[in-house]
């Protein structure tokens, strides 16, 4: 009796028809997000299944069943992702029944497809060959490229997002844990699997170095960020000290000149004082006394203007709720945000807290306007002190001239 010849999948009519059906099915119904579980993957698995079947010296019937199972094993992805294997069994059964395929062989093909589910048993040789063909990508040279396709697919369909280092570590663990089940699978893929593990280790080390570099850069930025915040704190503190100094100097000038004015007016207006009649007898004394009064009055007015509270704000903000994004405006300053409704202010603050650049911009704007206020204070203080100094000199000179004139 002659041995049964090995069946080549490309020659079997039912396999040709199955390939054409799956190709059309994937083209019409397979979700486009499935960039890994595409027709290309199924085609590769079918070829690998055929090669493994030949290496295992399967008879023609089992070879045909294995390849047909390979063609249908991912068909269920058209309807569901998790548990697609069971839907693949239903699609295969429906199509093969329509082709009048023997019922017992349909049952065998379904069992082979079932074995590709991670929780199912792989006891038979056909089941082991099918699983090895399905996982053949781990033992091929294009393993890392295919893994990136799977990563993209998971992100799009499952919401699983990995960093490069996380994905490299996940892939390395998966490669290390995987074991091919059939002897044909071990012989065909074991060598390349070891090479892929080595390459994946190199990739993981490379990604870890990149992540470490990013962490160092982030740490450097964090240190720089602390420096920026220290600068803001010291600048605010310096502005506060300068403002207090200006107010103290203004208060001193206000107190001195108001006392001086009070004394002069009191004595000049008092009928019982000796100064009042002196002016009547010597009206020329009105000149130095007038200079002193004018000096004290001008000096106290400029000092009061310097100490007067100044709120920097913009009239056009009254009807504009978008002040948080305006680079000229500091939403943290009460002179600005009190013109807004509570809702608009809350929206602006939330926007500010979300955007670091916007936050820093508000602080810079605040420092700028604080500087403008300080500049005005010290300019008026300088005028006040200058008036007081020049006025005293002129008053003294006037009194000297009056005394010389009287003599």
């Amino acid at each position: 009796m002659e041995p049964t010849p090995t069946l080549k999948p490309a020659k079997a009519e039912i396999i040709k028809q199955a390939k054409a059906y799956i190709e059309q099915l994937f083209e019409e119904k397979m979700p486009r997000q499935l960039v890994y579980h595409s027709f290309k993957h199924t085609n590769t698995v079918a070829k690998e299944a055929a090669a493994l079947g030949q290496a295992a010296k399967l008879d023609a019937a089992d070879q045909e069943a294995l390849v047909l199972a390979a063609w249908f094993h991912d068909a269920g992805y058209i309807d569901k992702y998790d548990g697609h294997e069971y839907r693949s069994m239903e699609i295969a059964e429906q199509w093969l029944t329509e082709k009048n395929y023997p019922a017992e062989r349909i049952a065998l093909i379904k069992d082979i497809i079932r074995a590709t589910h991670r929780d199912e048993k792989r006891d038979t040789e056909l089941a082991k060959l099918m699983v090895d063909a399905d996982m053949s990508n781990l033992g091929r040279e294009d393993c890392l490229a295919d893994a990136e396709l799977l990563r993209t697919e998971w992100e799009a369909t499952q919401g699983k997002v990995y960093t490069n280092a996380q994905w490299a570590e996940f892939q390395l663990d998966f490669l290390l844990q995987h074991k091919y089940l059939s002897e044909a699978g071990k012989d065909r893929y074991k060598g390349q699997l070891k090479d892929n593990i080595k390459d994946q280790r190199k990739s993981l080390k490379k990604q870890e170095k990149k992540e470490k570099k990013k962490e160092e850069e982030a740490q450097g930025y964090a240190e720089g960020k602390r420096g920026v915040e220290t600068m803001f704190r010291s600048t605010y503190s310096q502005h506060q000290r300068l403002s207090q100094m200006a107010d103290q100097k203004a208060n001193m000038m206000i107190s001195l000149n108001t006392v001086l004015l009070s004394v002069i007016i009191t004595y000049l207006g008092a009928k019982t004082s000796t100064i009042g009649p002196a002016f009547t007898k010597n009206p020329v004394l009105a000149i130095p006394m007038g200079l002193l009064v004018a000096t004290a009055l001008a000096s106290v007015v400029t000092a009061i203007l310097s100490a007067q509270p100044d709120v920097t704000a913009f009239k056009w903000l009254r009807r504009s709720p978008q002040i948080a994004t305006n680079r000229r405006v500091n939403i943290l300053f009460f002179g600005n945000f009190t013109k807004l409704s509570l809702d608009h202010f809350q929206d602006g603050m939330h926007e500010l807290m979300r955007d670091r650049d916007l936050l820093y911009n508000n602080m810079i704007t605040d420092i700028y306007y604080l500087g403008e206020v300080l500049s005005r204070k010290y300019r008026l203080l300088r005028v006040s002190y200058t008036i007081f100094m020049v006025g005293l000199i002129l008053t003294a000179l006037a009194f000297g001239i009056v005394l010389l004139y009287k003599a």
Side-chain angles (χ1 to χ4, degrees):
M1 181 176 180
E2 295 183 359
T4 302
T6 302
L7 179 66
K8 294 183 179 180
K11 301 296 183 179
E13 183 62 28
I14 189 67
I15 293 177
K16 289 182 181 180
Q17 294 176 9
K19 177 182 178 180
Y21 171 75
I22 292 297
E23 185 173 13
Q24 183 179 1
L25 183 68
F26 277 36
E27 178 66 26
E28 294 176 354
K29 297 185 179 181
M30 184 64 74
R32 298 304 178 213
Q33 301 95 323
L34 272 61
V35 293
Y36 174 77
H37 291 102
S38 60
F39 177 78
K40 178 183 176 182
H41 167 73
T42 297
N43 188 44
T44 301
V45 171
K47 290 180 179 179
E48 293 296 326
L52 290 175
Q54 290 177 347
K57 298 180 180 180
L58 297 178
D59 60 38
D62 286 347
Q63 177 82 354
E64 183 177 275
L66 177 63
V67 176
L68 284 172
W71 277 114
F72 281 94
H73 83 286
D74 276 347
Y77 274 116
I78 65 172
D79 294 325
K80 59 192 304 184
Y81 203 93
D82 193 22
H84 68 276
E85 296 88 351
Y86 304 113
R87 176 63 181 136
S88 298
M89 293 164 59
E90 294 174 358
I91 295 173
E93 181 179 23
Q94 180 181 356
W95 185 82
L96 290 170
T97 300
E98 292 176 356
K99 298 297 180 181
N100 296 317
Y101 206 71
E104 68 276 5
R105 303 307 293 178
I106 294 177
L108 175 63
I109 291 171
K110 290 172 62 179
D111 287 339
I112 297 173
I113 295 174
R114 182 185 287 108
T116 61
H117 191 281
R118 58 185 176 274
D119 297 330
E120 294 289 347
K121 295 180 180 180
R122 291 87 179 254
D123 297 332
T124 66
E125 180 69 9
L126 288 176
K128 293 177 181 178
L129 290 170
M130 180 67 244
V131 173
D132 286 350
D134 193 21
M135 303 304 294
S136 62
N137 63 299
L138 302 182
R140 298 199 309 269
E141 293 181 357
D142 57 354
C143 172
L144 300 185
D146 281 351
E148 286 302 313
L149 291 176
L150 182 61
R151 177 184 177 183
T152 302
E153 180 177 302
W154 280 1
E155 289 181 357
T157 62
Q158 308 300 301
K160 297 180 180 179
V161 180
Y162 299 84
T163 64
N164 290 335
Q166 289 172 338
W167 182 252
E169 185 175 3
F170 173 81
Q171 283 297 302
L172 179 59
D173 290 341
F174 192 77
L175 288 169
L176 289 171
Q177 293 173 10
H178 183 71
K179 304 294 182 183
Y180 284 104
L181 305 178
S182 66
E183 293 300 322
K186 294 175 183 177
D187 293 340
R188 186 173 177 84
Y189 307 120
K190 194 171 182 180
Q192 187 61 48
L193 176 62
K194 291 182 179 179
D195 292 340
N196 290 340
I197 290 174
K198 292 179 182 179
D199 291 341
Q200 192 61 49
R201 281 199 174 104
K202 292 178 182 178
S203 177
L204 178 58
K205 289 180 180 179
K206 184 178 179 181
Q207 294 300 330
E208 287 177 343
K209 287 180 180 179
K210 288 183 179 181
E211 292 292 332
K212 184 177 180 180
K213 185 177 180 180
K214 287 182 179 179
E215 289 177 2
E216 291 174 352
E217 291 175 352
Q219 181 65 25
Y221 171 75
E223 293 175 357
K225 183 179 178 181
R226 286 193 291 270
V228 170
E229 292 175 352
T230 300
M231 177 197 70
F232 278 119
R233 281 195 295 270
S234 62
T235 302
Y236 275 115
S237 178
Q238 181 68 8
H239 276 70
Q240 186 178 11
R241 286 195 297 270
L242 290 172
S243 182
Q244 289 174 349
M245 288 173 58
D247 290 339
Q248 290 172 358
K249 292 178 182 294
N251 289 333
M252 184 177 67
M253 290 301 295
I254 292 170
S255 300
L256 177 61
N257 285 288
T258 51
V259 169
L260 184 59
L261 284 172
S262 297
V263 170
I264 293 173
I265 293 172
T266 299
Y267 276 91
L268 288 179
K271 296 181 180 179
T272 58
S273 68
T274 57
I275 299 178
F279 275 102
T280 304
K281 298 177 182 178
N282 301 291
V284 73
L285 289 174
I287 295 174
M289 293 304 293
L291 284 172
L292 185 59
V293 171
T295 296
L297 183 61
S299 181
V300 75
V301 169
T302 51
I304 290 172
L305 290 175
S306 173
Q308 184 181 27
D310 187 16
V311 178
T312 303
F314 303 93
K315 294 180 180 179
W316 49 268
L317 289 178
R318 293 181 181 278
R319 297 182 179 274
S320 176
Q322 306 299 328
I323 66 173
T325 57
N326 192 300
R327 60 185 297 271
R328 294 184 57 203
V329 179
N330 173 26
I331 193 177
L332 302 176
F333 180 55
F334 76 92
N336 294 328
F337 69 70
T338 51
K339 294 180 171 61
L340 299 175
S341 67
L342 177 59
D343 290 338
H344 288 152
F345 176 64
Q346 289 175 340
D347 292 341
M349 288 298 294
H350 284 301
E351 181 69 22
L352 192 65
M353 290 185 288
R354 282 193 296 266
D355 192 335
R356 176 176 55 84
D357 292 336
L358 186 60
L359 174 61
Y360 283 167
N361 192 67
N362 267 257
M363 296 172 72
I364 292 169
T365 303
D366 193 34
I367 290 173
Y368 177 83
Y369 288 120
L370 283 175
E372 278 197 344
V373 172
L374 281 178
S375 176
R376 177 180 176 275
K377 279 180 178 287
Y378 278 91
R379 185 172 62 252
L380 290 171
L381 271 179
R382 184 179 180 84
V383 171
S384 178
Y385 275 82
T386 301
I387 290 173
F388 189 73
M389 178 184 67
V390 173
L392 288 181
I393 293 173
L394 292 177
T395 300
L397 289 175
F399 267 112
I401 292 171
V402 168
L403 293 175
L404 289 175
Y405 173 76
K406 184 179 179 181

